[in-house]
Amino acid sequence: MELLGQDDYVSLTMEFRCNLKCVHCMIEGTMDTLEPQSEDQFAEILQVQKNERPWRGIILTGSEITLMKSLPELAERARAAGFDRVRIQSHGMKIGNPVYLDRLINAGVNEYFISIPGCDSVTNDAITQVPGSWEKAYAGLQNLDGYNDVIAITNSVITRESYHLLPNIVDNLASLTSLAQMEFWFYWPMTERDEKNLVPRFTDALPFLVEAIARAESLGRRVEVKNFPECLLGDYGDRLINDQPVLLIDPAFWTQFERNGFYQCVHRDQCSSQQCLGLNTAYRERYGDETELLRPLN
Ligand code: SF4
Protein backbone atom coordinates (compact mmCIF):
# COMPACT_ATOMS: atom_id res chain seq x y z
CA MET A 1 0.00 0.00 0.00
CA GLU A 2 1.44 3.37 -0.94
CA LEU A 3 1.71 6.29 1.46
CA LEU A 4 -0.75 9.12 0.80
CA GLY A 5 -0.28 12.87 1.27
CA GLN A 6 -1.58 15.08 4.09
CA ASP A 7 -4.35 16.47 1.87
CA ASP A 8 -5.81 13.00 1.47
CA TYR A 9 -6.89 12.85 5.12
CA VAL A 10 -9.30 14.36 7.58
CA SER A 11 -8.36 14.00 11.24
CA LEU A 12 -10.82 13.78 14.15
CA THR A 13 -9.94 13.96 17.84
CA MET A 14 -12.27 11.41 19.38
CA GLU A 15 -10.70 10.59 22.77
CA PHE A 16 -8.83 12.66 25.33
CA ARG A 17 -7.97 10.04 27.92
CA CYS A 18 -4.51 8.45 28.06
CA ASN A 19 -2.85 5.75 30.14
CA LEU A 20 0.74 6.84 29.60
CA LYS A 21 2.46 9.79 31.30
CA CYS A 22 4.99 10.86 28.67
CA VAL A 23 7.25 13.56 30.06
CA HIS A 24 6.89 15.54 26.83
CA CYS A 25 3.08 15.33 26.64
CA MET A 26 2.00 18.51 24.92
CA ILE A 27 -1.59 18.49 26.10
CA GLU A 28 -1.30 17.22 29.65
CA GLY A 29 -2.47 20.59 30.96
CA THR A 30 -5.58 20.66 28.78
CA MET A 31 -6.37 16.97 28.28
CA ASP A 32 -8.96 16.98 31.06
CA THR A 33 -10.85 19.94 29.65
CA LEU A 34 -10.73 19.39 25.88
CA GLU A 35 -13.94 17.96 24.48
CA PRO A 36 -13.71 15.14 21.96
CA GLN A 37 -15.63 15.37 18.71
CA SER A 38 -19.22 14.31 19.18
CA GLU A 39 -21.12 11.49 17.54
CA ASP A 40 -22.95 14.11 15.47
CA GLN A 41 -19.68 15.61 14.24
CA PHE A 42 -18.35 12.16 13.35
CA ALA A 43 -21.58 11.30 11.51
CA GLU A 44 -21.43 14.60 9.66
CA ILE A 45 -17.93 13.84 8.33
CA LEU A 46 -19.09 10.40 7.21
CA GLN A 47 -22.00 11.99 5.37
CA VAL A 48 -19.70 14.47 3.61
CA GLN A 49 -17.49 11.59 2.55
CA LYS A 50 -20.47 9.60 1.28
CA ASN A 51 -21.75 12.55 -0.74
CA GLU A 52 -18.60 14.22 -2.03
CA ARG A 53 -15.58 11.95 -1.42
CA PRO A 54 -13.19 14.81 -0.58
CA TRP A 55 -10.71 12.54 1.21
CA ARG A 56 -9.18 9.10 0.91
CA GLY A 57 -8.46 8.57 4.57
CA ILE A 58 -9.67 9.39 8.04
CA ILE A 59 -7.43 9.69 11.11
CA LEU A 60 -8.93 8.81 14.48
CA THR A 61 -6.87 10.43 17.16
CA GLY A 62 -6.89 12.32 20.46
CA SER A 63 -4.77 11.27 23.39
CA GLU A 64 -5.03 7.47 23.28
CA ILE A 65 -7.68 6.38 20.81
CA THR A 66 -7.56 2.68 21.72
CA LEU A 67 -9.14 3.55 25.08
CA MET A 68 -12.33 4.22 23.13
CA LYS A 69 -14.37 1.04 23.27
CA SER A 70 -16.29 1.88 20.12
CA LEU A 71 -13.13 2.29 18.00
CA PRO A 72 -13.74 -0.85 15.87
CA GLU A 73 -17.30 0.30 15.15
CA LEU A 74 -16.10 3.79 14.20
CA ALA A 75 -13.62 2.22 11.79
CA GLU A 76 -16.28 0.01 10.22
CA ARG A 77 -18.56 3.00 9.72
CA ALA A 78 -15.74 5.04 8.20
CA ARG A 79 -14.89 2.30 5.71
CA ALA A 80 -18.59 1.91 4.84
CA ALA A 81 -18.77 5.67 4.19
CA GLY A 82 -16.06 5.41 1.56
CA PHE A 83 -12.77 5.98 3.38
CA ASP A 84 -10.14 3.65 1.86
CA ARG A 85 -7.80 4.33 4.74
CA VAL A 86 -8.54 4.41 8.43
CA ARG A 87 -5.57 5.49 10.52
CA ILE A 88 -5.31 5.45 14.26
CA GLN A 89 -2.77 7.44 16.26
CA SER A 90 -1.75 5.45 19.28
CA HIS A 91 1.00 4.59 21.73
CA GLY A 92 0.74 1.09 20.29
CA MET A 93 0.48 -0.81 23.56
CA LYS A 94 -2.93 -2.26 22.93
CA ILE A 95 -2.09 -3.66 19.50
CA GLY A 96 0.52 -5.72 21.31
CA ASN A 97 -2.51 -7.89 22.02
CA PRO A 98 -2.99 -9.90 18.79
CA VAL A 99 -6.70 -10.48 19.47
CA TYR A 100 -7.35 -6.76 19.75
CA LEU A 101 -5.26 -5.97 16.70
CA ASP A 102 -7.13 -8.60 14.70
CA ARG A 103 -10.37 -6.91 15.67
CA LEU A 104 -9.10 -3.54 14.44
CA ILE A 105 -7.78 -5.02 11.21
CA ASN A 106 -11.10 -6.73 10.54
CA ALA A 107 -12.89 -3.45 11.24
CA GLY A 108 -10.82 -1.81 8.50
CA VAL A 109 -8.05 0.03 10.38
CA ASN A 110 -5.18 -0.19 7.90
CA GLU A 111 -2.79 2.57 9.03
CA TYR A 112 -1.12 2.64 12.45
CA PHE A 113 0.66 5.82 13.55
CA ILE A 114 2.55 4.74 16.64
CA SER A 115 4.46 6.96 19.08
CA ILE A 116 7.90 5.58 19.89
CA PRO A 117 9.68 8.00 22.22
CA GLY A 118 12.70 5.84 23.11
CA CYS A 119 14.88 3.14 21.59
CA ASP A 120 14.46 0.30 24.09
CA SER A 121 12.62 -0.64 27.24
CA VAL A 122 14.89 1.42 29.52
CA THR A 123 14.82 4.68 27.56
CA ASN A 124 11.28 4.37 26.24
CA ASP A 125 9.68 3.50 29.56
CA ALA A 126 11.59 6.28 31.32
CA ILE A 127 9.92 8.75 28.96
CA THR A 128 6.43 7.22 29.04
CA GLN A 129 6.74 6.61 32.81
CA VAL A 130 4.95 3.31 32.37
CA PRO A 131 6.94 0.06 32.67
CA GLY A 132 6.34 -2.35 29.80
CA SER A 133 5.28 0.31 27.31
CA TRP A 134 8.19 -0.38 24.92
CA GLU A 135 7.66 -4.12 25.07
CA LYS A 136 3.95 -3.83 24.22
CA ALA A 137 4.37 -1.21 21.52
CA TYR A 138 7.20 -3.12 19.87
CA ALA A 139 5.12 -6.31 19.99
CA GLY A 140 2.30 -4.34 18.37
CA LEU A 141 4.56 -3.23 15.52
CA GLN A 142 5.73 -6.82 15.08
CA ASN A 143 2.12 -8.01 15.05
CA LEU A 144 1.39 -5.61 12.18
CA ASP A 145 4.01 -7.40 10.10
CA GLY A 146 1.72 -10.42 10.08
CA TYR A 147 -0.83 -8.64 7.89
CA ASN A 148 -0.87 -7.59 4.27
CA ASP A 149 -2.02 -4.15 3.23
CA VAL A 150 -1.30 -2.33 6.47
CA ILE A 151 1.07 0.57 6.99
CA ALA A 152 2.91 1.49 10.17
CA ILE A 153 4.26 4.99 10.78
CA THR A 154 6.29 5.86 13.84
CA ASN A 155 6.56 9.23 15.51
CA SER A 156 9.40 10.10 17.86
CA VAL A 157 9.42 13.40 19.73
CA ILE A 158 12.83 15.09 19.94
CA THR A 159 13.55 16.40 23.43
CA ARG A 160 16.63 16.95 25.55
CA GLU A 161 16.01 13.47 26.92
CA SER A 162 15.64 11.73 23.57
CA TYR A 163 17.56 13.45 20.76
CA HIS A 164 20.60 11.25 21.23
CA LEU A 165 18.41 8.13 20.90
CA LEU A 166 17.15 8.85 17.38
CA PRO A 167 19.63 6.72 15.37
CA ASN A 168 19.13 3.83 17.80
CA ILE A 169 15.35 4.10 17.43
CA VAL A 170 15.82 3.62 13.69
CA ASP A 171 18.20 0.70 14.21
CA ASN A 172 16.00 -1.06 16.73
CA LEU A 173 12.97 -0.89 14.42
CA ALA A 174 14.99 -1.91 11.35
CA SER A 175 13.53 -5.40 10.98
CA LEU A 176 9.88 -4.27 10.79
CA THR A 177 8.46 -4.86 7.33
CA SER A 178 5.25 -2.82 7.62
CA LEU A 179 7.04 0.31 8.86
CA ALA A 180 6.82 2.67 5.88
CA GLN A 181 7.46 6.06 7.42
CA MET A 182 9.31 7.49 10.40
CA GLU A 183 8.55 10.95 11.72
CA PHE A 184 10.71 13.05 14.03
CA TRP A 185 8.94 15.93 15.79
CA PHE A 186 11.09 18.57 17.50
CA TYR A 187 9.34 19.24 20.81
CA TRP A 188 7.22 22.35 21.37
CA PRO A 189 5.94 23.03 24.89
CA MET A 190 2.51 24.63 24.12
CA THR A 191 3.46 27.55 26.40
CA GLU A 192 5.79 30.54 26.27
CA ARG A 193 8.44 28.88 28.43
CA ASP A 194 10.22 25.55 28.42
CA GLU A 195 9.03 24.82 31.92
CA LYS A 196 9.99 21.14 31.77
CA ASN A 197 13.48 21.84 30.42
CA LEU A 198 12.91 19.59 27.43
CA VAL A 199 13.71 21.81 24.44
CA PRO A 200 17.11 20.83 23.02
CA ARG A 201 19.39 23.25 21.25
CA PHE A 202 19.19 22.77 17.48
CA THR A 203 22.93 22.18 17.23
CA ASP A 204 22.81 19.43 19.86
CA ALA A 205 19.99 17.53 18.18
CA LEU A 206 21.07 18.08 14.57
CA PRO A 207 23.80 15.41 14.16
CA PHE A 208 21.57 12.73 15.68
CA LEU A 209 18.58 13.80 13.60
CA VAL A 210 20.58 13.75 10.37
CA GLU A 211 22.02 10.34 11.21
CA ALA A 212 18.53 9.01 11.98
CA ILE A 213 17.19 10.33 8.66
CA ALA A 214 20.06 8.74 6.74
CA ARG A 215 19.65 5.39 8.46
CA ALA A 216 15.84 5.35 8.06
CA GLU A 217 16.07 6.19 4.38
CA SER A 218 18.73 3.53 3.84
CA LEU A 219 16.09 1.08 5.09
CA GLY A 220 13.59 2.35 2.52
CA ARG A 221 11.48 4.37 4.99
CA ARG A 222 9.99 7.73 4.08
CA VAL A 223 10.98 10.38 6.64
CA GLU A 224 9.15 13.49 7.79
CA VAL A 225 10.59 16.06 10.19
CA LYS A 226 8.41 18.55 12.03
CA ASN A 227 9.34 21.90 13.60
CA PHE A 228 13.07 22.06 12.82
CA PRO A 229 14.82 24.86 10.91
CA GLU A 230 14.86 23.88 7.25
CA CYS A 231 18.13 25.73 6.71
CA LEU A 232 19.92 23.42 9.17
CA LEU A 233 18.83 20.22 7.46
CA GLY A 234 21.03 20.75 4.41
CA ASP A 235 20.36 18.11 1.77
CA TYR A 236 17.50 16.82 3.92
CA GLY A 237 15.64 20.15 3.87
CA ASP A 238 12.70 18.75 1.93
CA ARG A 239 12.06 16.19 4.69
CA LEU A 240 10.66 19.09 6.73
CA ILE A 241 6.92 18.77 6.25
CA ASN A 242 4.88 20.78 8.72
CA ASP A 243 1.63 20.43 6.80
CA GLN A 244 -1.08 18.56 8.65
CA PRO A 245 -4.39 17.11 7.51
CA VAL A 246 -7.61 19.01 8.18
CA LEU A 247 -8.04 18.64 11.94
CA LEU A 248 -11.33 18.66 13.81
CA ILE A 249 -10.58 19.47 17.42
CA ASP A 250 -11.98 21.44 20.34
CA PRO A 251 -11.29 25.15 19.53
CA ALA A 252 -9.75 25.53 23.01
CA PHE A 253 -6.77 23.56 21.70
CA TRP A 254 -5.85 26.36 19.30
CA THR A 255 -5.83 28.94 22.12
CA GLN A 256 -3.20 26.83 23.83
CA PHE A 257 -1.33 26.12 20.60
CA GLU A 258 -0.99 29.85 19.83
CA ARG A 259 1.04 30.23 23.01
CA ASN A 260 3.95 28.52 21.24
CA GLY A 261 4.47 31.64 19.14
CA PHE A 262 5.94 30.03 16.02
CA TYR A 263 7.50 31.89 13.07
CA GLN A 264 9.93 33.97 15.16
CA CYS A 265 13.01 33.64 12.93
CA VAL A 266 14.97 36.87 12.51
CA HIS A 267 15.60 35.94 8.86
CA ARG A 268 12.00 35.19 8.05
CA ASP A 269 11.46 38.14 5.69
CA GLN A 270 14.49 37.15 3.63
CA CYS A 271 13.85 33.41 3.63
CA SER A 272 12.01 31.53 0.90
CA SER A 273 11.13 28.46 2.99
CA GLN A 274 7.48 27.50 2.65
CA GLN A 275 7.53 24.93 5.43
CA CYS A 276 9.70 26.30 8.20
CA LEU A 277 8.09 27.33 11.50
CA GLY A 278 11.24 29.18 12.54
CA LEU A 279 11.74 29.60 16.28
CA ASN A 280 9.10 29.68 18.96
CA THR A 281 8.94 31.75 22.12
CA ALA A 282 10.21 29.03 24.43
CA TYR A 283 13.21 28.29 22.19
CA ARG A 284 14.18 31.96 21.94
CA GLU A 285 13.80 32.42 25.66
CA ARG A 286 16.22 29.56 26.33
CA TYR A 287 18.75 29.84 23.50
CA GLY A 288 18.28 33.25 21.90
CA ASP A 289 17.67 34.05 18.22
CA GLU A 290 20.45 31.87 16.77
CA THR A 291 21.06 34.70 14.31
CA GLU A 292 24.47 33.46 13.20
CA LEU A 293 23.46 29.82 13.00
CA LEU A 294 20.38 30.17 10.82
CA ARG A 295 20.74 31.02 7.15
CA PRO A 296 17.81 32.23 5.04
CA LEU A 297 17.09 30.08 2.01
CA ASN A 298 17.24 31.66 -1.44
S1 SF4 B 1 16.35 31.12 8.04
FE1 SF4 B 1 14.72 30.97 9.54
S2 SF4 B 1 12.82 30.75 8.38
FE2 SF4 B 1 14.54 30.29 6.99
S3 SF4 B 1 14.83 28.08 7.08
FE3 SF4 B 1 16.20 28.97 8.60
S4 SF4 B 1 15.02 28.98 10.54
FE4 SF4 B 1 13.59 28.68 8.84
Side-chain angles (χ1 to χ4, degrees):
M1 239 172 31
E2 87 281 22
L3 289 156
L4 303 181
Q6 308 284 358
D7 291 347
D8 292 312
Y9 294 91
V10 59
S11 184
L12 278 77
T13 45
M14 301 298 293
E15 171 61 66
F16 279 113
R17 292 174 297 164
C18 190
N19 52 355
L20 291 187
K21 294 173 280 185
C22 296
V23 294
H24 58 251
C25 181
M26 298 171 192
I27 59 166
E28 66 179 356
T30 49
M31 209 157 65
D32 294 339
T33 54
L34 291 173
E35 288 289 334
Q37 298 298 289
S38 66
E39 162 58 30
D40 285 352
Q41 288 165 312
F42 180 70
E44 194 177 322
I45 289 295
L46 297 193
Q47 197 57 49
V48 171
Q49 181 69 357
K50 271 183 194 162
N51 294 344
E52 302 164 29
R53 298 285 169 122
W55 306 287
R56 294 182 64 188
I58 187 169
I59 300 171
L60 302 175
T61 184
S63 297
E64 179 45 45
I65 193 69
T66 60
L67 294 179
M68 198 174 183
K69 284 201 169 57
S70 60
L71 178 59
E73 287 73 35
L74 296 183
E76 283 169 0
R77 290 169 61 196
R79 291 298 294 268
F83 285 104
D84 300 332
R85 305 287 181 90
V86 177
R87 178 185 297 180
I88 60 166
Q89 295 189 336
S90 169
H91 55 42
M93 288 170 61
K94 209 161 165 186
I95 63 168
N97 176 344
V99 175
Y100 181 73
L101 176 59
D102 210 45
R103 190 159 168 235
L104 291 185
I105 296 274
N106 290 330
V109 181
N110 48 13
E111 296 191 6
Y112 294 79
F113 181 98
I114 305 298
S115 297
I116 300 291
C119 67
D120 53 27
S121 58
V122 173
T123 58
N124 192 87
D125 298 0
I127 294 168
T128 64
Q129 302 189 84
V130 172
S133 54
W134 165 268
E135 196 180 342
K136 289 178 182 169
Y138 187 70
L141 288 166
Q142 286 182 309
N143 288 342
L144 287 172
D145 284 352
Y147 295 89
N148 295 320
D149 296 327
V150 298
I151 285 175
I153 298 169
T154 56
N155 166 37
S156 300
V157 176
I158 305 168
T159 69
R160 281 167 66 100
E161 295 185 8
S162 70
Y163 70 80
H164 61 291
L165 305 173
L166 300 178
N168 290 340
I169 292 175
V170 175
D171 289 351
N172 290 348
L173 303 181
S175 65
L176 298 168
T177 55
S178 57
L179 180 53
Q181 178 164 310
M182 300 189 77
E183 299 192 6
F184 303 108
W185 293 36
F186 193 82
Y187 171 73
W188 58 85
M190 298 289 281
T191 62
E192 297 83 359
R193 302 198 64 191
D194 181 21
E195 285 157 4
K196 294 197 269 186
N197 195 22
L198 286 175
V199 177
R201 195 162 190 185
F202 296 139
T203 43
D204 289 337
L206 182 62
F208 296 92
L209 175 58
V210 165
E211 182 62 26
I213 297 170
R215 290 190 196 181
E217 292 190 345
S218 75
L219 294 166
R221 323 282 199 220
R222 189 164 88 179
V223 172
E224 285 189 10
V225 175
K226 310 282 185 193
N227 185 35
F228 200 83
E230 183 174 344
C231 57
L232 296 184
L233 291 172
D235 291 344
Y236 294 120
D238 63 0
R239 277 58 159 193
L240 181 74
I241 299 175
N242 285 315
D243 296 336
Q244 294 285 354
V246 175
L247 174 64
L248 277 72
I249 192 167
D250 186 332
F253 170 82
W254 296 115
T255 307
Q256 189 74 21
F257 185 80
E258 288 300 317
R259 294 180 65 186
N260 287 300
F262 288 115
Y263 299 110
Q264 296 187 47
C265 173
V266 291
H267 304 300
R268 183 162 172 75
D269 290 345
Q270 293 84 47
C271 183
S272 65
S273 175
Q274 299 295 307
Q275 284 289 328
C276 191
L277 302 179
L279 279 63
N280 56 42
T281 303
Y283 188 94
R284 286 183 69 208
E285 202 251 350
R286 181 170 291 281
Y287 300 112
D289 283 333
E290 304 281 27
T291 309
E292 298 305 315
L293 175 69
L294 304 172
R295 291 276 180 268
L297 303 179
N298 292 322

